[in-house]
Amino acid sequence: MSKLDGRTIALLGARKTEELSKIVHNLGGVPLVRPAQGTVFLDDSHLEEDVTRLMAGEFDWIILTTGVGTELLYKTALKLEAGERFIAALRSMKIAARGYKTVNMLKKLGLKPLIRDDDGSTAGLVRNLEGHLSGAVKVALQLHGDPAPLLMNWLDEQSVEHKEILPYEHIAPEIETMQQLAGEILDGTIDSVVFTSAPQPRNLMKFVREQGLEDQIIEQFKSKVVALAVGKVTAQVVIDEGIERVIYPEDQRMGSAMVELVKFYHGVASR
């Protein structure tokens, strides 16, 4: 099977760029880091207060939506010299989790969720929470930098009291980076764009719409540029933003996504 054969692969994530670049390089591609997700900011004081409340036993359930958010809660507990107490507190609660990264982080802590999604999505998590929550319980809800109105509205519909915990948030990416990325897509410099989370396609398409470049960018994705998503949830956002041709792996892992890209180019070459 042919590999990436010197093709230029744009990586839009803000995290693990060195690791992802190495994967692309090892597959014979040229990595191009173009963060389209902005910077993650933490509010340590609020997070310490939230973790303290978790350890005080104020909640019956905790819903965890991202692996990095779960890890940040644990690291905050470590800063408070209360790592074991934090784990014990979660063990005494009912845990719901979205995404394999969240489940893997819980596994590292010796914990297992009672409820998890069936497809990596918030909708999948809500489906499996049906019948498990009522207004009599208190829920700690760890959100990520992207809003989760589906989950929050569902909790409201169940009349469930919930406290939102936001360990990090996304800000808009650098305008200069977005200008550079859009230009490289349009001039044919980039062969594939890798989307690793939902904010990335949203930010890219929002920017090109504001610049009056949406139709040109979409045309490039139809013809020359291959959109690659880390999993089907991110892929659906890419499609919703108007980029209809997108490939992705079933298991939502970056290594598997790159294998899918190699397979795609191998299929093109063999036609």
Side-chain angles (χ1 to χ4, degrees):
M1 180 184 296
S2 61
K3 294 192 177 181
L4 294 177
D5 295 330
R7 292 182 175 91
T8 299
I9 314 299
L11 305 171
L12 270 57
R15 299 175 60 248
K16 297 186 177 181
T17 55
E18 188 173 329
E19 178 184 330
L20 299 183
S21 294
K22 187 175 181 180
I23 293 174
V24 172
H25 180 75
N26 289 344
L27 289 171
V30 179
L32 206 61
V33 178
R34 296 289 182 265
Q37 194 165 322
T39 306
V40 174
F41 285 98
L42 309 179
D43 187 335
D44 288 341
S45 60
H46 282 288
L47 210 51
E48 288 177 7
E49 180 183 335
D50 290 334
V51 168
T52 299
R53 291 183 64 183
L54 285 171
M55 294 188 298
E58 291 188 23
F59 303 97
D60 305 294
W61 279 78
I62 184 167
I63 299 176
L64 300 163
T65 62
T66 63
V68 67
T70 304
E71 184 177 11
L72 286 168
L73 291 178
Y74 176 60
K75 286 183 175 179
T76 301
L78 291 178
K79 278 180 59 180
L80 296 171
E81 299 183 348
E84 289 301 319
R85 188 178 161 203
F86 174 78
I87 292 172
L90 262 62
R91 190 169 283 122
S92 70
M93 298 161 56
K94 293 179 179 178
I95 303 172
R98 181 198 70 87
Y100 79 91
K101 291 181 181 178
T102 309
V103 173
N104 285 349
M105 184 60 210
L106 286 169
K107 187 176 180 180
K108 289 179 183 178
L109 299 177
L111 300 167
K112 185 177 180 179
L114 175 65
I115 303 293
R116 64 165 300 180
D117 61 273
D118 52 24
D119 62 356
S121 71
T122 301
L125 179 59
V126 168
R127 276 195 300 273
N128 290 331
L129 279 169
E130 290 283 358
H132 288 274
L133 292 178
S134 68
V137 299
K138 291 185 178 180
V139 174
L141 173 60
Q142 177 261 311
L143 295 174
H144 48 102
D146 229 18
L150 177 67
L151 181 54
M152 293 168 68
N153 291 341
W154 181 81
L155 288 170
D156 288 337
E157 288 169 4
Q158 311 309 305
S159 300
V160 169
E161 181 181 344
H162 57 277
K163 167 71 171 68
E164 296 158 25
I165 299 175
L166 191 66
Y168 63 99
E169 62 181 359
H170 302 305
I171 64 169
E174 295 288 338
I175 291 177
E176 293 80 6
T177 300
M178 301 308 291
Q179 288 174 332
Q180 188 175 19
L181 174 62
E184 289 164 336
I185 292 172
L186 290 174
D187 68 18
T189 300
I190 291 172
D191 297 291
S192 177
V193 174
V194 182
F195 299 100
T196 58
S197 69
Q200 296 161 23
R202 291 191 188 121
N203 288 338
L204 171 61
M205 297 311 294
K206 179 176 182 291
F207 176 80
V208 298
R209 285 186 195 106
E210 291 170 350
Q211 302 299 311
L213 299 172
E214 180 180 14
D215 291 344
Q216 296 172 58
I217 291 290
I218 287 177
E219 185 56 40
Q220 284 293 89
F221 276 107
K222 282 181 180 177
S223 55
K224 183 183 186 300
V225 182
V226 179
L228 173 68
V230 71
K232 60 183 175 183
V233 176
T234 302
Q236 187 58 56
V237 178
V238 175
I239 294 168
D240 291 345
E241 289 294 330
I243 301 170
E244 295 180 359
R245 185 182 69 169
V246 55
I247 60 176
Y248 60 91
E250 286 300 319
D251 63 2
Q252 302 187 77
R253 297 177 190 274
M254 196 59 232
S256 300
M258 295 310 302
V259 169
E260 288 299 317
L261 186 61
V262 170
K263 287 180 181 176
F264 174 85
Y265 283 127
H266 175 68
V268 170
S270 62
R271 286 172 194 165

